[in-house]
């Protein structure tokens, strides 16, 4: 099979407690339904979910969403270790892609949706080192980063390697922004996976909204 | 729609006739209520089968001579690959032999097809090099590496490091493969089909797909290194027998041949014996219990039903066409493009079946079929060539469905103008001349097409909107000529089934995906057409396809094995069976499919 793995990497630090994780948890069933019920997406998309705070946890191992009934929930608590998230992401992707290939599948480059509502609590050297290792890894993913609430523009821009968005705090609440984030990533999964057919199986076009309601699109070109 | 209502009317008419005192089941048996039609049919079949009947008699016939309950009651037909052949195959033949027997991973040795080694690269060359049907190369690497497909999980993924996974790992000296002669201009010293070295040169253990051939070839399957390289092949496969039902397009899909009915006492419909014919629910009984039909009759149709699938689960898409474009959408061509094009022919020593069918994704989203196919004959009698062309409109290109359709036809027309020269070049294995002619044909066709599409007059015209791949196989009608010309632009291409094993494997795609390469395509995104000469042997099956079929064959072992079983069994399928087989479903392979098969050595 020709498979496109998606990884949702969600901040579930203590600051996400006030409605943040609830907003995501409330949106996950829609994401699940949308993907598993669309035949143009269901077979090709694989989905995994990582939550990170003080540590990172593989909440949902990479799965064919049509084979599970529901996604696990996020729960808030702890600080915000980007480094833990990137390290777990790197090892998970490595394991997953190797496994899929060992099963005989063709695997497209993984796509990561990274969301945080604040800045990393690790040292700059630590999280930057972990991010660098991820980006230089064998199956380096494409990363779309979303910053919510107090997230820092420069940090979110640095994490992303494909597209970055920052919440427009004046126009939208963090909870509403998170719902928009979930809708946007669902659309992205659907449209990107559908593009595999348009490319005759030769590749896919990573489709990300140009404008996500409540967010400002950040330029990745500024160094 | 019109067609549909007509068929319904026909069915209703039959039903009405059946209402006149005959068993209502009888209508399932196709024309049992019209003895005169059955007579016509049986006469027709008698003529065809007389010349088709293999000598000595095919053992399958005796196997099929027993009662076949499934033939007696159409509704009892088991799910899965129910044969629609007139002569029911024994149960074991329903299971493709390749499923268990054929080591697809192995490089296998019918050291047969003459080759020019240069373009194939020396043994040990990275498959990527062999694959370099490089758009920019004038005539370069074939794009049709003549190595057996190796299915191995490790290399299947389009990982960035896929090249590192693709080292040859088998002993080239021990193996050989059908090979192709490539256009010489890229490597002049190699331009002469150097037969003695061909086998070694072609012996690359990996195919262009990047699948490493890690399995150790079974010594029994290895070519004898001592055998004269390039010696004419002795394919173990016997030339395909054309079952009566598939003797010609005209008869394909027709219910039965007389001799099949005569060996099946439970199933035959004897127009002269309505009582016997009318009771499909009757137990199979014993042969002796059933009266010998006095007239040749037809067996009940065997319903194939929905296409089968490989793997544990079928694709998530529904297994039938759903959405279809409307004239209201503004794209007339798309709205009028049929779901399926099915074609075929039989000449002396060549049986051809071709189908172009819309893929699941287009059936789902309501796009038209963007693949196209043309099967025709060109040139004067005696120097005739079959033109078999497939094209895949590039999905992201707005008018690619028009481009693919027009390209196959326009190129066939232009080839016809040069048919005599092409035939001569092919007969003389003059690859340089052939390549020159082919590229001239492609170039002039592109000029024609661009003009007809509005280039120069339409300010909105863009070559990018009309991108399509194109692969053409030229096959001389003269059975004494074994050379076939292959002209290609873009992914997809030719595979060869020999002795149940797949060879070739151009246009893999998957391992290019990580680097986002795009296929070469007409009218503007290609350097030159890649021309090859392929020398085949009776028993070979040439499989020309778009990536919609080539990719799953290359990437899904089960698809490769199943289709090898269907098409490499030595039997030419009926058109309707071929259509059903070509639609073999595999999850995530939802592209349009176009495939033309040539059974070499099918005799009449």
């Amino acid at each position: 099979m020709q498979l496109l793995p998606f990884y949702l990497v969600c901040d579930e630090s203590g600051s996400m407690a006030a409605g943040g994780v609830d907003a995501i948890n409330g949106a996950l069933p829609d994401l699940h339904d949308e993907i598993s019920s669309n035949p143009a997406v269901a077979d090709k998309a694989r989905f995994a979910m990582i939550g990170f705070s003080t540590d990172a946890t593989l909440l949902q191992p990479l799965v064919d969403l049509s084979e599970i009934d529901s996604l696990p929930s996020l729960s808030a608590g702890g600080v915000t270790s980007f480094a833990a998230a990137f390290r777990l992401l790197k090892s998970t992707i490595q394991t997953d892609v190797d496994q899929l290939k060992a099963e005989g599948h063709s695997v497209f480059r993984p796509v990561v949706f990274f969301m945080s509502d604040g800045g990393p609590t690790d040292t700059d050297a630590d999280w930057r080192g972990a991010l660098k290792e991820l980006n230089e890894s064998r199956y380096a993913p494409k990363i779309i980063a979303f910053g919510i609430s107090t997230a820092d523009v420069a940090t979110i821009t640095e994490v992303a390697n494909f597209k970055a968005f920052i919440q427009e705090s004046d126009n939208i609440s963090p909870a509403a922004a998170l719902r928009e984030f979930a809708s946007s990533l669902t659309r992205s999964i659907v449209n990107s996976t559908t593009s595999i057919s348009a490319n005759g199986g030769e590749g896919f076009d990573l489709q990300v909204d140009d404008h996500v309601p409540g967010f400002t699109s950040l330029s990745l070109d500024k160094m | 729609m019109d067609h549909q209502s007509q068929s319904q009317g026909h069915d209703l008419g039959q039903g009405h006739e059946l209402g006149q005192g005959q068993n209502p089941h009888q209508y399932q048996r196709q024309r049992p209520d019209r003895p005169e039609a059955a007579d016509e049919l049986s006469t027709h079949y008698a003529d065809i089968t007389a010349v088709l009947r293999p000598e000595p008699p095919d053992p399958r016939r005796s196997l099929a001579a027993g009662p076949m309950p499934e033939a007696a009651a159409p509704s009892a037909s088991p799910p899965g690959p129910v044969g629609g052949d007139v002569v029911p195959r024994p149960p074991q033949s329903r299971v493709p032999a390749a499923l268990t027997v054929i080591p697809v991973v192995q490089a296998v040795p019918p050291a047969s097809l003459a080759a020019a080694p240069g373009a194939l690269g020396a043994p040990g060359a990275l498959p990527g090099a062999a694959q370099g049907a490089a758009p920019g190369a004038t005539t370069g690497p074939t794009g049709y590496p003549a190595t057996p497909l190796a299915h191995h999980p490790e290399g299947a993924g389009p990982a960035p490091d896929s090249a590192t996974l693709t080292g040859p790992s088998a002993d080239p000296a021990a193996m050989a493969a059908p090979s192709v002669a490539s256009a010489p201009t890229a490597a002049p010293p190699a331009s002469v089909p150097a037969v003695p070295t061909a086998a070694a040169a072609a012996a690359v253990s990996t195919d262009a797909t990047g699948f490493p051939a890690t399995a150790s070839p079974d010594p029994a399957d290895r070519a004898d290194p001592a055998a004269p390289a390039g010696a004419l092949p002795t394919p173990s496969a016997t030339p395909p027998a054309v079952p009566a039902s598939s003797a010609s397009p005209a008869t394909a899909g027709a219910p039965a041949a007389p001799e099949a009915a005569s060996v099946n006492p439970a199933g035959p419909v004897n127009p002269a014996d309505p009582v016997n014919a009318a009771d499909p629910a009757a137990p199979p009984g014993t042969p002796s219990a059933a009266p010998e039909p006095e007239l040749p009759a037809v067996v009940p149709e065997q319903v194939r039903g929905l296409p089968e699938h490989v793997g544990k689960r079928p694709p998530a898409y529904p297994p039938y066409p759903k959405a279809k474009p409307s004239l209201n959408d503004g794209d007339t061509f798309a709205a009028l493009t049929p779901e399926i094009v099915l074609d075929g022919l039989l000449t002396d020593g060549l049986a051809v079946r071709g189908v172009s069918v819309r893929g699941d994704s287009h059936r789902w989203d309501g796009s038209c079929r963007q693949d196209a196919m043309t099967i025709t004959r060109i040139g004067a009698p005696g120097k005739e060539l079959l033109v078999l062309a497939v094209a895949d409109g590039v999905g992201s290109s707005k008018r690619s469905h028009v481009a693919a359709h027009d390209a196959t036809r326009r190129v066939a027309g232009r080839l016809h103008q040069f048919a005599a020269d092409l035939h001569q070049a092919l007969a003389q294995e003059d690859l340089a001349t052939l390549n020159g002619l082919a590229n001239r044909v492609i170039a002039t066709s592109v000029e024609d097409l661009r003009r007809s599409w509005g280039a120069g007059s339409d300010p909105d015209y863009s070559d990018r909107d009309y991108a399509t791949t194109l692969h053409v196989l030229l096959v001389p009608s003269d059975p004494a000529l074994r050379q076939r010309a292959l002209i290609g632009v873009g992914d997809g291409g030719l595979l060869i089934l020999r002795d149940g094993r797949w060879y070739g494997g151009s246009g893999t795609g998957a391992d290019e995906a990580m680097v986002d390469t795009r296929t070469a395509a007409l009218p503007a995104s290609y350097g030159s057409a890649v021309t090859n000469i392929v020398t085949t042997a009776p028993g070979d099956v040439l499989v020309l396809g778009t990536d919609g079929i080539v990719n799953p064959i290359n990437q899904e072992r089960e698809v490769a094995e199943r289709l090898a079983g269907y098409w490499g069994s030595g039997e030419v399928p009926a058109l309707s069976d071929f259509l059903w087989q070509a639609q073999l479903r595999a999850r995530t392979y939802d592209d349009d499919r176009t495939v033309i098969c040539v059974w070499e050595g099918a005799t009449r």
Side-chain angles (χ1 to χ4, degrees):
Chain A
M1 290 192 273
Q2 303 170 311
L3 304 178
L4 177 49
F6 292 93
Y7 293 84
L8 172 57
V9 181
C10 265
D11 188 338
E12 50 178 357
S13 61
S15 54
M16 285 285 286
V21 292
D22 291 345
I24 295 287
N25 289 339
L28 288 175
D30 288 343
L31 179 148
H32 180 257
D33 288 350
E34 187 78 29
I35 292 170
S36 61
S37 66
N38 184 336
V41 181
D43 285 344
K44 295 174 191 162
R46 290 290 180 274
F47 186 82
M49 205 161 85
I50 286 175
F52 69 96
S53 53
T54 309
D55 291 312
T57 311
L58 182 57
L59 298 171
Q60 173 61 60
L62 195 68
V63 69
D64 176 344
L65 285 181
S66 59
E67 290 182 350
I68 60 171
D69 295 329
S70 63
L71 285 165
S73 301
L74 302 175
S75 54
V79 294
T80 312
S81 172
F82 278 26
F86 297 148
R87 290 198 186 102
L88 180 60
L89 188 54
K90 173 173 173 282
S91 63
T92 305
I93 288 175
Q94 175 84 42
T95 307
D96 290 346
V97 176
D98 282 343
Q99 174 68 27
L100 292 174
K101 290 173 67 169
E103 289 166 9
H105 303 304
S106 300
V107 187
F108 293 107
R109 186 177 297 282
V111 175
V112 169
F113 296 94
F114 178 91
M115 187 280 294
S116 174
D117 72 339
T121 51
D122 357 63
T123 65
D124 281 1
D126 198 13
W127 74 262
R128 284 196 168 119
L131 178 62
K132 186 164 183 280
E133 282 179 23
L134 174 65
N135 280 324
E136 290 174 355
S137 64
R138 195 175 175 193
Y139 307 124
K142 299 184 181 184
I143 303 174
I144 300 117
F146 285 78
I148 312 288
S149 189
T150 62
D152 171 52
V153 168
T155 306
I156 291 298
T157 307
E158 193 170 341
V159 168
N161 63 19
F162 188 80
K163 265 191 180 175
F165 298 89
I166 194 86
Q167 181 196 344
E168 298 165 349
S169 352
D170 296 342
N171 298 336
I172 190 169
S173 69
L178 284 167
R179 284 191 289 272
E180 292 293 351
F181 159 68
S183 305
S184 181
L185 82 88
T186 303
R187 281 193 295 276
S188 185
I189 291 173
V190 169
N191 294 335
S192 302
T193 308
T194 308
S195 78
I196 295 173
S197 302
N199 284 306
E202 300 294 304
F204 71 101
D205 302 316
L206 181 48
Q207 306 271 344
V208 180
D209 292 337
D210 287 333
H211 301 288
V212 180
F215 286 86
T216 300
S217 180
L218 302 173
S219 168
L220 300 188
D221 297 334
K222 290 178 189 163
M223 303 303 285
Chain B
M1 293 298 279
D2 288 340
H3 179 73
Q4 213 167 28
S5 15
Q6 281 168 10
S7 342
Q8 279 168 356
H10 181 65
D11 291 344
L12 286 171
Q14 281 195 325
H16 180 69
E17 289 180 47
L18 286 167
Q20 301 171 357
Q22 293 190 17
N23 187 305
H25 292 296
Q26 202 170 350
Y27 77 95
Q28 294 183 356
R29 304 196 172 220
Q30 304 258 323
R31 303 184 183 86
D33 48 307
R34 295 174 54 215
E36 72 286 357
D39 281 340
E40 291 162 15
L41 268 180
S42 53
T43 305
H44 183 56
Y45 281 126
D47 291 340
I48 292 172
T49 52
V51 290
L52 284 176
R53 186 169 292 120
E55 296 294 342
D58 191 328
R60 279 185 297 263
R61 293 182 191 281
S62 54
L63 282 168
M68 295 284 285
E70 72 194 47
S75 60
S77 294
V82 177
D85 301 315
V86 170
V87 181
R89 286 175 285 180
Q92 59 268 34
S93 78
R94 303 271 188 249
V95 179
L99 279 174
T100 50
V101 196
I102 296 167
V104 187
V105 178
Q106 294 180 4
V108 196
S112 51
L113 307 178
L120 288 166
L126 279 178
Q131 189 178 12
T138 309
T139 52
T142 69
Y144 306 95
T147 53
L149 289 185
H151 284 263
H152 190 280
E154 287 296 324
D161 56 319
S162 58
T164 64
L165 297 171
T166 57
S169 59
D171 178 8
M175 297 183 296
S179 53
V180 291
S182 184
T185 54
S191 63
V192 179
V195 172
T197 61
V204 182
S205 69
T206 54
D207 64 82
T209 69
F211 293 86
T214 52
S216 301
D218 181 346
D221 282 324
R222 295 189 182 204
D224 179 2
L232 275 178
T234 316
S236 63
T238 51
V242 183
S245 69
S246 55
S248 75
T251 64
E259 76 273 30
S262 67
V263 297
N264 187 347
V269 175
N270 184 348
D273 184 2
V275 175
N276 177 49
D279 188 5
T286 59
S288 61
E292 191 69 23
E294 292 174 9
L295 290 173
V298 292
V299 294
E301 61 181 323
Q302 294 179 340
V303 178
R304 286 282 200 179
L306 297 171
E308 60 178 351
H309 67 86
V310 298
K312 281 183 297 185
R313 289 170 51 190
Y317 295 100
Y320 43 78
K322 193 166 176 277
K324 188 172 170 64
S326 161
L327 279 170
N328 195 46
D329 301 336
D331 186 339
T332 304
F333 193 99
L336 299 180
T337 298
E339 170 81 12
I340 291 168
V341 172
L342 188 61
D343 204 351
L345 61 88
L346 177 68
T347 70
D348 188 11
L350 294 167
V352 179
R353 300 283 180 270
V355 66
S356 183
V357 58
R358 195 158 64 129
D360 282 342
S361 62
H362 290 152
R363 287 173 163 186
W364 178 255
D365 69 21
S367 307
C368 74
R369 179 169 44 86
Q370 293 167 347
D371 271 13
M373 173 183 84
T374 290
I375 295 177
T376 189
R377 301 152 57 212
I378 61 171
K383 295 194 171 178
E384 184 181 270
L385 295 167
L386 306 185
V387 175
L388 315 174
V390 301
D392 175 9
V394 176
S396 50
S397 186
K398 279 188 292 188
R399 301 282 291 164
S400 64
H401 51 299
V402 178
H405 174 271
D406 290 359
T408 59
R409 292 170 171 234
R410 169 48 56 183
V411 167
R414 283 289 185 182
L415 286 167
H416 179 55
Q417 293 179 328
F418 295 93
D421 293 339
L422 287 162
H423 189 275
Q424 185 178 11
L426 196 52
Q428 296 175 349
E429 295 194 46
D430 181 350
L431 186 53
T433 300
L434 189 71
N435 182 61
L437 286 166
N439 273 284
R440 192 169 158 200
V441 162
I442 297 291
T444 52
S445 300
V446 164
E447 286 305 304
D448 299 342
L449 291 167
R450 293 180 79 252
R451 218 170 13 248
S452 71
W453 294 334
S457 59
D458 177 0
D460 293 330
Y461 173 83
S462 165
D463 281 338
R464 280 177 304 181
D465 291 340
Y466 289 84
T468 183
T469 69
L470 177 71
H471 291 272
V472 182
L473 188 61
L474 292 175
V475 183
S477 293
D478 178 356
L481 286 178
R482 301 310 314 171
Q483 295 79 23
R484 285 82 181 90
L486 193 56
I487 306 165
V489 174
D491 56 22
L494 182 72
L495 303 169
I496 298 175
L497 256 178
R498 171 171 296 179
D499 299 340
R501 296 169 172 87
W502 292 98
Y503 294 88
S506 60
T508 61
D511 51 357
E512 302 166 8
M514 282 296 213
V515 290
D516 271 346
T517 53
R518 290 291 180 263
T519 181
L522 300 176
S525 302
Y526 78 105
S528 68
V530 179
T531 311
N532 295 289
I533 293 175
V534 184
T535 305
T536 63
D540 287 349
V541 183
L542 311 186
V543 179
L544 183 72
T546 58
D547 60 1
I549 188 94
V550 171
N551 283 355
I553 291 173
N554 278 342
Q555 296 166 13
E556 296 291 321
R557 186 188 184 104
E558 209 179 337
V559 171
E561 291 172 341
R562 194 78 63 95
L563 294 181
Y566 288 144
W567 298 340
S569 69
E571 222 172 80
V572 182
L575 265 188
S576 55
D577 290 343
F578 182 71
L579 167 63
W580 184 84
Q581 292 158 354
Q583 293 183 83
L584 175 63
R585 310 179 79 218
R587 289 178 78 198
T588 78
Y589 295 93
D590 55 5
D591 202 3
D592 296 343
R593 287 185 180 177
T594 303
V595 57
I596 302 176
C597 292
V598 180
W599 280 266
E600 299 271 8
T603 53
R604 56 192 310 173

